[in-house]
mmCIF file of all heavy atoms in Angstrom:
data_model
loop_
_atom_site.group_PDB
_atom_site.id
_atom_site.type_symbol
_atom_site.label_atom_id
_atom_site.label_comp_id
_atom_site.label_asym_id
_atom_site.label_seq_id
_atom_site.Cartn_x
_atom_site.Cartn_y
_atom_site.Cartn_z
ATOM 1 N N ILE L 121 -14.816 26.217 -21.327
ATOM 2 C CA ILE L 121 -15.810 25.674 -20.402
ATOM 3 C C ILE L 121 -16.601 26.809 -19.751
ATOM 4 O O ILE L 121 -17.821 26.714 -19.550
ATOM 5 C CB ILE L 121 -15.119 24.802 -19.333
ATOM 6 C CG1 ILE L 121 -14.523 23.552 -19.993
ATOM 7 C CG2 ILE L 121 -16.096 24.411 -18.241
ATOM 8 C CD1 ILE L 121 -13.684 22.718 -19.062
ATOM 9 N N LYS L 122 -15.925 27.899 -19.391
ATOM 10 C CA LYS L 122 -16.616 29.050 -18.810
ATOM 11 C C LYS L 122 -17.644 29.620 -19.778
ATOM 12 O O LYS L 122 -18.761 29.966 -19.393
ATOM 13 C CB LYS L 122 -15.608 30.130 -18.423
ATOM 14 C CG LYS L 122 -14.717 29.771 -17.240
ATOM 15 C CD LYS L 122 -13.786 30.921 -16.925
ATOM 16 C CE LYS L 122 -12.869 30.607 -15.751
ATOM 17 N NZ LYS L 122 -11.950 31.732 -15.459
ATOM 18 N N LEU L 123 -17.264 29.735 -21.047
ATOM 19 C CA LEU L 123 -18.190 30.259 -22.047
ATOM 20 C C LEU L 123 -19.393 29.334 -22.221
ATOM 21 O O LEU L 123 -20.524 29.800 -22.422
ATOM 22 C CB LEU L 123 -17.466 30.427 -23.390
ATOM 23 C CG LEU L 123 -16.465 31.577 -23.474
ATOM 24 C CD1 LEU L 123 -15.641 31.469 -24.747
ATOM 25 C CD2 LEU L 123 -17.175 32.919 -23.425
ATOM 26 N N ASP L 124 -19.163 28.050 -22.154
ATOM 27 C CA ASP L 124 -20.258 27.098 -22.314
ATOM 28 C C ASP L 124 -21.251 27.202 -21.161
ATOM 29 O O ASP L 124 -22.436 26.890 -21.333
ATOM 30 C CB ASP L 124 -19.689 25.677 -22.398
ATOM 31 C CG ASP L 124 -20.769 24.665 -22.739
ATOM 32 O OD1 ASP L 124 -21.364 24.771 -23.823
ATOM 33 O OD2 ASP L 124 -21.028 23.778 -21.899
ATOM 34 N N GLY L 125 -20.810 27.638 -19.991
ATOM 35 C CA GLY L 125 -21.693 27.757 -18.836
ATOM 36 C C GLY L 125 -22.482 29.043 -18.778
ATOM 37 O O GLY L 125 -23.294 29.234 -17.875
ATOM 38 N N ILE L 126 -22.267 29.958 -19.732
ATOM 39 C CA ILE L 126 -22.983 31.236 -19.749
ATOM 40 C C ILE L 126 -24.252 31.091 -20.572
ATOM 41 O O ILE L 126 -24.208 30.700 -21.736
ATOM 42 C CB ILE L 126 -22.098 32.358 -20.320
ATOM 43 C CG1 ILE L 126 -20.881 32.586 -19.417
ATOM 44 C CG2 ILE L 126 -22.891 33.650 -20.467
ATOM 45 C CD1 ILE L 126 -19.910 33.606 -19.952
ATOM 46 N N SER L 127 -25.389 31.414 -19.961
ATOM 47 C CA SER L 127 -26.675 31.378 -20.662
ATOM 48 C C SER L 127 -27.009 32.795 -21.123
ATOM 49 O O SER L 127 -27.067 33.721 -20.311
ATOM 50 C CB SER L 127 -27.770 30.842 -19.738
ATOM 51 O OG SER L 127 -29.025 30.869 -20.385
ATOM 52 N N ALA L 128 -27.193 32.958 -22.419
ATOM 53 C CA ALA L 128 -27.427 34.301 -22.955
ATOM 54 C C ALA L 128 -28.347 34.210 -24.159
ATOM 55 O O ALA L 128 -28.594 33.139 -24.710
ATOM 56 C CB ALA L 128 -26.100 34.960 -23.337
ATOM 57 N N ASP L 129 -28.852 35.373 -24.570
ATOM 58 C CA ASP L 129 -29.679 35.466 -25.763
ATOM 59 C C ASP L 129 -29.428 36.808 -26.429
ATOM 60 O O ASP L 129 -28.833 37.710 -25.850
ATOM 61 C CB ASP L 129 -31.168 35.309 -25.420
ATOM 62 C CG ASP L 129 -31.621 36.310 -24.361
ATOM 63 O OD1 ASP L 129 -30.783 37.118 -23.927
ATOM 64 O OD2 ASP L 129 -32.806 36.288 -23.977
ATOM 65 N N GLY L 130 -29.864 36.913 -27.659
ATOM 66 C CA GLY L 130 -29.709 38.176 -28.380
ATOM 67 C C GLY L 130 -28.259 38.515 -28.677
ATOM 68 O O GLY L 130 -27.458 37.664 -29.084
ATOM 69 N N ASP L 131 -27.905 39.773 -28.463
ATOM 70 C CA ASP L 131 -26.550 40.246 -28.748
ATOM 71 C C ASP L 131 -25.519 39.575 -27.847
ATOM 72 O O ASP L 131 -24.387 39.311 -28.287
ATOM 73 C CB ASP L 131 -26.480 41.771 -28.560
ATOM 74 C CG ASP L 131 -27.337 42.512 -29.566
ATOM 75 O OD1 ASP L 131 -27.646 41.917 -30.616
ATOM 76 O OD2 ASP L 131 -27.716 43.666 -29.309
ATOM 77 N N VAL L 132 -25.881 39.291 -26.606
ATOM 78 C CA VAL L 132 -24.945 38.645 -25.688
ATOM 79 C C VAL L 132 -24.609 37.234 -26.181
ATOM 80 O O VAL L 132 -23.467 36.777 -26.088
ATOM 81 C CB VAL L 132 -25.527 38.600 -24.271
ATOM 82 C CG1 VAL L 132 -24.556 37.932 -23.309
ATOM 83 C CG2 VAL L 132 -25.848 40.004 -23.793
ATOM 84 N N LYS L 133 -25.592 36.547 -26.723
ATOM 85 C CA LYS L 133 -25.354 35.214 -27.265
ATOM 86 C C LYS L 133 -24.399 35.280 -28.456
ATOM 87 O O LYS L 133 -23.542 34.401 -28.634
ATOM 88 C CB LYS L 133 -26.685 34.586 -27.690
ATOM 89 C CG LYS L 133 -26.571 33.155 -28.153
ATOM 90 C CD LYS L 133 -27.949 32.587 -28.466
ATOM 91 C CE LYS L 133 -27.852 31.137 -28.906
ATOM 92 N NZ LYS L 133 -29.207 30.562 -29.199
ATOM 93 N N LEU L 134 -24.538 36.312 -29.267
ATOM 94 C CA LEU L 134 -23.636 36.490 -30.404
ATOM 95 C C LEU L 134 -22.209 36.753 -29.930
ATOM 96 O O LEU L 134 -21.243 36.224 -30.501
ATOM 97 C CB LEU L 134 -24.130 37.647 -31.279
ATOM 98 C CG LEU L 134 -23.284 37.986 -32.515
ATOM 99 C CD1 LEU L 134 -23.225 36.790 -33.452
ATOM 100 C CD2 LEU L 134 -23.860 39.195 -33.239
ATOM 101 N N GLN L 135 -22.041 37.547 -28.876
ATOM 102 C CA GLN L 135 -20.711 37.799 -28.317
ATOM 103 C C GLN L 135 -20.078 36.510 -27.789
ATOM 104 O O GLN L 135 -18.885 36.261 -27.992
ATOM 105 C CB GLN L 135 -20.808 38.819 -27.189
ATOM 106 C CG GLN L 135 -21.258 40.202 -27.628
ATOM 107 C CD GLN L 135 -21.429 41.153 -26.469
ATOM 108 O OE1 GLN L 135 -21.010 40.867 -25.341
ATOM 109 N NE2 GLN L 135 -22.061 42.286 -26.715
ATOM 110 N N ARG L 136 -20.874 35.702 -27.128
ATOM 111 C CA ARG L 136 -20.348 34.432 -26.613
ATOM 112 C C ARG L 136 -19.898 33.525 -27.754
ATOM 113 O O ARG L 136 -18.846 32.879 -27.678
ATOM 114 C CB ARG L 136 -21.425 33.721 -25.783
ATOM 115 C CG ARG L 136 -20.938 32.447 -25.109
ATOM 116 C CD ARG L 136 -22.072 31.673 -24.500
ATOM 117 N NE ARG L 136 -22.989 31.196 -25.526
ATOM 118 C CZ ARG L 136 -24.084 30.485 -25.266
ATOM 119 N NH1 ARG L 136 -24.406 30.207 -24.019
ATOM 120 N NH2 ARG L 136 -24.869 30.072 -26.232
ATOM 121 N N ARG L 137 -20.687 33.473 -28.825
ATOM 122 C CA ARG L 137 -20.337 32.621 -29.961
ATOM 123 C C ARG L 137 -19.024 33.070 -30.597
ATOM 124 O O ARG L 137 -18.192 32.237 -30.996
ATOM 125 C CB ARG L 137 -21.465 32.668 -30.990
ATOM 126 C CG ARG L 137 -21.312 31.688 -32.148
ATOM 127 C CD ARG L 137 -22.467 31.827 -33.105
ATOM 128 N NE ARG L 137 -23.737 31.643 -32.422
ATOM 129 C CZ ARG L 137 -24.908 31.894 -32.988
ATOM 130 N NH1 ARG L 137 -24.973 32.360 -34.218
ATOM 131 N NH2 ARG L 137 -26.026 31.695 -32.312
ATOM 132 N N MET L 138 -18.811 34.366 -30.698
ATOM 133 C CA MET L 138 -17.561 34.883 -31.265
ATOM 134 C C MET L 138 -16.361 34.473 -30.420
ATOM 135 O O MET L 138 -15.310 34.077 -30.952
ATOM 136 C CB MET L 138 -17.639 36.404 -31.379
ATOM 137 C CG MET L 138 -18.638 36.909 -32.403
ATOM 138 S SD MET L 138 -18.786 38.713 -32.414
ATOM 139 C CE MET L 138 -17.102 39.183 -32.803
ATOM 140 N N GLN L 139 -16.481 34.543 -29.092
ATOM 141 C CA GLN L 139 -15.368 34.162 -28.213
ATOM 142 C C GLN L 139 -15.111 32.655 -28.271
ATOM 143 O O GLN L 139 -13.965 32.214 -28.202
ATOM 144 C CB GLN L 139 -15.666 34.598 -26.779
ATOM 145 C CG GLN L 139 -15.740 36.098 -26.600
ATOM 146 C CD GLN L 139 -14.495 36.810 -27.099
ATOM 147 O OE1 GLN L 139 -13.371 36.390 -26.828
ATOM 148 N NE2 GLN L 139 -14.696 37.881 -27.844
ATOM 149 N N VAL L 140 -16.165 31.864 -28.406
ATOM 150 C CA VAL L 140 -15.993 30.412 -28.528
ATOM 151 C C VAL L 140 -15.193 30.082 -29.780
ATOM 152 O O VAL L 140 -14.275 29.246 -29.754
ATOM 153 C CB VAL L 140 -17.363 29.711 -28.559
ATOM 154 C CG1 VAL L 140 -17.225 28.250 -28.980
ATOM 155 C CG2 VAL L 140 -18.031 29.791 -27.197
ATOM 156 N N LYS L 141 -15.511 30.738 -30.884
ATOM 157 C CA LYS L 141 -14.773 30.505 -32.130
ATOM 158 C C LYS L 141 -13.309 30.918 -31.987
ATOM 159 O O LYS L 141 -12.407 30.250 -32.507
ATOM 160 C CB LYS L 141 -15.435 31.260 -33.278
ATOM 161 C CG LYS L 141 -16.787 30.688 -33.691
ATOM 162 C CD LYS L 141 -17.369 31.449 -34.875
ATOM 163 C CE LYS L 141 -18.693 30.846 -35.321
ATOM 164 N NZ LYS L 141 -19.273 31.587 -36.473
ATOM 165 N N ARG L 142 -13.056 32.017 -31.288
ATOM 166 C CA ARG L 142 -11.672 32.458 -31.067
ATOM 167 C C ARG L 142 -10.870 31.415 -30.301
ATOM 168 O O ARG L 142 -9.764 31.045 -30.686
ATOM 169 C CB ARG L 142 -11.652 33.774 -30.298
ATOM 170 C CG ARG L 142 -11.984 35.008 -31.089
ATOM 171 C CD ARG L 142 -11.745 36.237 -30.230
ATOM 172 N NE ARG L 142 -10.341 36.408 -29.922
ATOM 173 C CZ ARG L 142 -9.885 37.145 -28.930
ATOM 174 N NH1 ARG L 142 -10.724 37.749 -28.114
ATOM 175 N NH2 ARG L 142 -8.595 37.259 -28.721
ATOM 176 N N VAL L 143 -11.452 30.936 -29.196
ATOM 177 C CA VAL L 143 -10.749 29.966 -28.353
ATOM 178 C C VAL L 143 -10.490 28.680 -29.134
ATOM 179 O O VAL L 143 -9.392 28.112 -29.070
ATOM 180 C CB VAL L 143 -11.566 29.679 -27.079
ATOM 181 C CG1 VAL L 143 -10.912 28.571 -26.268
ATOM 182 C CG2 VAL L 143 -11.686 30.939 -26.235
ATOM 183 N N GLN L 144 -11.481 28.202 -29.876
ATOM 184 C CA GLN L 144 -11.299 26.989 -30.668
ATOM 185 C C GLN L 144 -10.200 27.163 -31.716
ATOM 186 O O GLN L 144 -9.404 26.240 -31.967
ATOM 187 C CB GLN L 144 -12.616 26.608 -31.342
ATOM 188 C CG GLN L 144 -13.688 26.135 -30.373
ATOM 189 C CD GLN L 144 -15.009 25.881 -31.057
ATOM 190 O OE1 GLN L 144 -15.244 26.327 -32.184
ATOM 191 N NE2 GLN L 144 -15.908 25.184 -30.377
ATOM 192 N N LYS L 145 -10.119 28.342 -32.299
ATOM 193 C CA LYS L 145 -9.081 28.613 -33.291
ATOM 194 C C LYS L 145 -7.690 28.541 -32.669
ATOM 195 O O LYS L 145 -6.764 27.951 -33.244
ATOM 196 C CB LYS L 145 -9.321 29.992 -33.905
ATOM 197 C CG LYS L 145 -8.256 30.410 -34.912
ATOM 198 C CD LYS L 145 -8.530 31.813 -35.429
ATOM 199 C CE LYS L 145 -7.414 32.263 -36.355
ATOM 200 N NZ LYS L 145 -7.654 33.660 -36.842
ATOM 201 N N TYR L 146 -7.516 29.115 -31.468
ATOM 202 C CA TYR L 146 -6.198 29.093 -30.813
ATOM 203 C C TYR L 146 -5.823 27.679 -30.374
ATOM 204 O O TYR L 146 -4.644 27.295 -30.430
ATOM 205 C CB TYR L 146 -6.204 30.039 -29.613
ATOM 206 C CG TYR L 146 -6.311 31.494 -29.998
ATOM 207 C CD1 TYR L 146 -7.160 32.357 -29.298
ATOM 208 C CD2 TYR L 146 -5.590 32.011 -31.067
ATOM 209 C CE1 TYR L 146 -7.272 33.694 -29.665
ATOM 210 C CE2 TYR L 146 -5.703 33.346 -31.424
ATOM 211 C CZ TYR L 146 -6.549 34.182 -30.725
ATOM 212 O OH TYR L 146 -6.660 35.503 -31.082
ATOM 213 N N ILE L 147 -6.804 26.887 -29.964
ATOM 214 C CA ILE L 147 -6.521 25.505 -29.586
ATOM 215 C C ILE L 147 -6.059 24.705 -30.795
ATOM 216 O O ILE L 147 -5.105 23.917 -30.723
ATOM 217 C CB ILE L 147 -7.765 24.864 -28.941
ATOM 218 C CG1 ILE L 147 -8.054 25.512 -27.583
ATOM 219 C CG2 ILE L 147 -7.575 23.359 -28.770
ATOM 220 C CD1 ILE L 147 -9.324 25.014 -26.919
ATOM 221 N N GLU L 148 -6.718 24.904 -31.933
ATOM 222 C CA GLU L 148 -6.296 24.222 -33.155
ATOM 223 C C GLU L 148 -4.892 24.656 -33.568
ATOM 224 O O GLU L 148 -4.073 23.835 -34.013
ATOM 225 C CB GLU L 148 -7.286 24.522 -34.278
ATOM 226 C CG GLU L 148 -8.668 23.910 -34.054
ATOM 227 C CD GLU L 148 -9.660 24.340 -35.114
ATOM 228 O OE1 GLU L 148 -9.261 25.153 -35.995
ATOM 229 O OE2 GLU L 148 -10.819 23.892 -35.061
ATOM 230 N N THR L 149 -4.589 25.918 -33.400
ATOM 231 C CA THR L 149 -3.237 26.407 -33.734
ATOM 232 C C THR L 149 -2.188 25.749 -32.856
ATOM 233 O O THR L 149 -1.118 25.337 -33.333
ATOM 234 C CB THR L 149 -3.183 27.935 -33.557
ATOM 235 O OG1 THR L 149 -4.153 28.547 -34.409
ATOM 236 C CG2 THR L 149 -1.803 28.475 -33.898
ATOM 237 N N LEU L 150 -2.477 25.621 -31.570
ATOM 238 C CA LEU L 150 -1.521 24.983 -30.662
ATOM 239 C C LEU L 150 -1.344 23.505 -30.978
ATOM 240 O O LEU L 150 -0.234 22.960 -30.840
ATOM 241 C CB LEU L 150 -1.987 25.157 -29.215
ATOM 242 C CG LEU L 150 -1.849 26.570 -28.641
ATOM 243 C CD1 LEU L 150 -2.523 26.665 -27.281
ATOM 244 C CD2 LEU L 150 -0.381 26.980 -28.531
ATOM 245 N N ASP L 151 -2.404 22.831 -31.400
ATOM 246 C CA ASP L 151 -2.278 21.425 -31.798
ATOM 247 C C ASP L 151 -1.335 21.279 -32.988
ATOM 248 O O ASP L 151 -0.490 20.361 -33.025
ATOM 249 C CB ASP L 151 -3.655 20.850 -32.135
ATOM 250 C CG ASP L 151 -4.519 20.642 -30.897
ATOM 251 O OD1 ASP L 151 -3.931 20.490 -29.792
ATOM 252 O OD2 ASP L 151 -5.753 20.639 -31.024
ATOM 253 N N MET L 152 -1.466 22.163 -33.963
ATOM 254 C CA MET L 152 -0.571 22.129 -35.119
ATOM 255 C C MET L 152 0.861 22.460 -34.716
ATOM 256 O O MET L 152 1.831 21.837 -35.187
ATOM 257 C CB MET L 152 -1.061 23.113 -36.187
ATOM 258 C CG MET L 152 -2.425 22.776 -36.763
ATOM 259 S SD MET L 152 -2.446 21.176 -37.608
ATOM 260 C CE MET L 152 -1.284 21.509 -38.939
ATOM 261 N N LEU L 153 1.028 23.427 -33.814
ATOM 262 C CA LEU L 153 2.370 23.793 -33.365
ATOM 263 C C LEU L 153 3.006 22.656 -32.569
ATOM 264 O O LEU L 153 4.232 22.459 -32.626
ATOM 265 C CB LEU L 153 2.303 25.059 -32.507
ATOM 266 C CG LEU L 153 1.942 26.355 -33.234
ATOM 267 C CD1 LEU L 153 1.789 27.494 -32.246
ATOM 268 C CD2 LEU L 153 3.001 26.699 -34.272
ATOM 269 N N LYS L 154 2.201 21.903 -31.852
ATOM 270 C CA LYS L 154 2.739 20.776 -31.082
ATOM 271 C C LYS L 154 3.319 19.719 -32.005
ATOM 272 O O LYS L 154 4.394 19.157 -31.740
ATOM 273 C CB LYS L 154 1.639 20.188 -30.203
ATOM 274 C CG LYS L 154 2.127 19.128 -29.227
ATOM 275 C CD LYS L 154 1.063 18.781 -28.218
ATOM 276 C CE LYS L 154 -0.125 18.141 -28.896
ATOM 277 N NZ LYS L 154 -1.111 17.642 -27.905
ATOM 278 N N ILE L 155 2.624 19.439 -33.100
ATOM 279 C CA ILE L 155 3.141 18.466 -34.076
ATOM 280 C C ILE L 155 4.415 18.984 -34.730
ATOM 281 O O ILE L 155 5.407 18.254 -34.881
ATOM 282 C CB ILE L 155 2.057 18.176 -35.139
ATOM 283 C CG1 ILE L 155 0.828 17.533 -34.484
ATOM 284 C CG2 ILE L 155 2.601 17.292 -36.242
ATOM 285 C CD1 ILE L 155 -0.348 17.367 -35.419
#
């Protein structure tokens, strides 16, 4: 949610996108581990 609230462009926008993908990956991993 914090990442979604950051407005950025250029290289900063690319950094935000990379962190969003990381967080989504860990959430998916935890969902699989929960099952």
Side-chain angles (χ1 to χ4, degrees):
I121 293 173
K122 290 181 180 179
L123 288 169
D124 187 62
I126 296 176
S127 177
D129 55 1
D131 295 339
V132 180
K133 185 176 181 179
L134 179 61
Q135 295 176 12
R136 185 189 65 180
R137 187 181 304 170
M138 292 176 60
Q139 295 305 315
V140 168
K141 290 182 178 180
R142 283 187 66 199
V143 174
Q144 291 175 344
K145 177 183 176 182
Y146 292 137
I147 292 176
E148 293 174 358
T149 301
L150 288 172
D151 288 336
M152 297 298 297
L153 291 175
K154 188 169 65 173
I155 297 173

